[in-house]
Amino acid sequence: MYFTKMHGLGNDYIYVNGITEHIREPERLAVRLSDRHFGVGADGLILILPSRRADFRMEIYNADGSRAEMCGNGIRCLAKYVYDRGLMKKKELIIETDAGMRRLRLETDEEDKISQVTVDMGYPIFQADKIPIISEHTRVVQEPISIRHMEYRMTGVSMGNPHAVVWVNSVKRLDLAQIGPEFEYHGRFPRRVNVEFAQVVDREHIIVRVWERGAGETLACGTGACAVAAAGVLNDLTERHVTVKLKGGELSVLWDEADGKIYMTGPAVTVYDGIVTV
Ligand SMILES: N[C@H](CCC[C@H](N)C(=O)O)C(=O)O
């Protein structure tokens, strides 16, 4: 089977063209290929599929085989994949995802290869039962949650997938290997959760580390960066346009006051093409 390894700020995925390759059990394939010792190695698997309602359809499977609704870094790379290989040559495209339609705007370099992509990530969702997070309140804003005998305050946001944003004084000292899984599998998250630990540098800059549902600590998370930007405004800690600094690099996120949507801009990189026996 042919595949392409790509990443957005080090959040890496294995891309398979579901138009030319027939994938029978994507969940099992995701687990096998994502393994960084016995497989190709990645945070998950992304299938590029035909769509009757959009230019393409994206299915994303985390490294543990679970299917996710949306992937911010992954969708930028999908746009690069289809443009650079001439599967479509428009500078604007619409991708169908499990979270709905997403519109993308592409920027190219001097060799007409995609360098930057801006994604209309849609509206942030704060209603607890739509994230979902179990709560007595309609929204989860700075609500306490006890993890390993420590109390954290979380703000719940859905970007099509579930996020809990936790403000901290410093992301450096956090032991994500310890507390990440406790958040991810906590009983208050019926569909588990991606958790972002966010340190406000100033009203336009945030440093973030993320423990992703189904993948563990990743170098970046596009939907997570958007969730942090939305929570920053909700908690009046940051402006609507912020630079989110993740381990793998920076994303520019704007929660547009005019249309209420979140726009995320960042890079997309092709690492290599390969063939794997399945
Ligand atoms: N682990 C996520 C999917 C990947 C999202 C992330 N890699 C991004 O760039 O948005 C979930 O289960 O919701």
Side-chain angles (χ1 to χ4, degrees):
M1 181 186 77
Y2 289 95
F3 73 90
T4 299
K5 183 77 190 296
M6 303 184 80
H7 75 84
L9 301 181
N11 184 206
D12 57 342
Y13 290 93
I14 294 155
Y15 286 74
V16 177
N17 185 335
I19 301 163
T20 53
E21 304 273 356
H22 179 59
I23 310 297
R24 273 186 304 281
E25 295 178 298
E27 297 83 354
R28 284 165 54 95
L29 188 66
V31 174
R32 226 201 90 204
L33 296 188
S34 299
D35 190 296
R36 295 192 188 277
H37 299 284
F38 298 102
V40 173
D43 290 327
L45 167 72
I46 289 184
L47 304 185
I48 301 141
L49 298 157
S51 168
R52 280 194 295 275
R53 303 188 297 156
D55 293 300
F56 295 92
R57 183 161 64 85
M58 174 175 83
E59 283 182 8
I60 162 180
Y61 298 87
N62 289 308
D64 72 350
S66 60
R67 182 161 170 175
E69 302 83 350
M70 176 50 193
C71 181
N73 289 318
I75 203 168
R76 295 200 314 273
C77 291
L78 189 150
K80 179 174 179 63
Y81 181 101
V82 297
Y83 185 90
D84 287 1
R85 291 154 202 271
L87 297 180
M88 66 96 226
K89 287 308 258 187
K90 298 184 293 182
K91 291 285 182 68
E92 295 239 349
L93 77 159
I94 296 179
I95 305 291
E96 183 184 356
T97 76
D98 290 356
M101 298 295 179
R102 294 294 184 265
R103 183 183 299 275
L104 293 80
R105 197 173 59 247
L106 315 180
E107 292 167 42
T108 51
D109 61 18
E110 55 289 344
E111 287 153 19
D112 193 32
K113 296 288 185 196
I114 297 298
S115 53
Q116 284 258 92
V117 180
T118 295
V119 187
D120 169 354
M121 297 290 281
Y123 303 99
I125 295 165
F126 300 109
Q127 291 94 315
D129 58 358
K130 291 193 171 23
I131 296 174
I133 298 182
I134 294 170
S135 171
E136 289 147 30
H137 307 106
T138 313
R139 288 180 164 191
V140 175
V141 180
Q142 289 297 84
E143 259 191 43
I145 180 170
S146 176
I147 299 284
R148 302 177 73 86
H149 311 301
M150 285 275 289
E151 182 180 284
Y152 297 83
R153 296 268 167 169
M154 66 176 172
T155 296
V157 188
S158 169
M159 290 306 299
N161 58 350
H163 294 270
V165 177
V166 175
W167 304 107
V168 293
N169 295 326
S170 166
V171 296
K172 276 205 184 64
R173 290 190 298 275
L174 291 170
D175 184 350
L176 261 58
Q178 288 279 346
I179 60 178
E182 304 265 342
F183 268 96
E184 178 182 356
Y185 287 92
H186 194 283
R188 292 192 58 187
F189 307 111
R191 294 172 62 182
R192 295 190 283 162
V193 78
N194 301 283
V195 54
E196 288 79 27
F197 299 91
Q199 174 186 339
V200 176
V201 176
D202 59 38
R203 290 189 65 85
E204 289 165 348
H205 297 85
I206 313 171
I207 299 173
V208 172
R209 283 177 69 188
V210 57
W211 180 271
E212 282 199 35
R213 176 179 66 172
E217 181 168 13
T218 60
L219 296 185
C221 178
T223 50
C226 296
V228 168
V233 174
L234 203 67
N235 289 297
D236 192 19
L237 295 170
T238 51
E239 300 305 320
R240 304 184 80 89
H241 192 181
V242 287
T243 298
V244 178
K245 183 170 174 27
L246 301 124
K247 273 187 163 179
E250 296 184 353
L251 288 171
S252 173
V253 182
L254 166 69
W255 184 5
D256 189 326
E257 194 146 24
D259 64 10
K261 291 183 170 187
I262 292 193
Y263 296 87
M264 169 195 65
T265 300
V269 175
T270 301
V271 184
Y272 67 89
D273 289 316
I275 300 175
V276 64
T277 50
V278 289

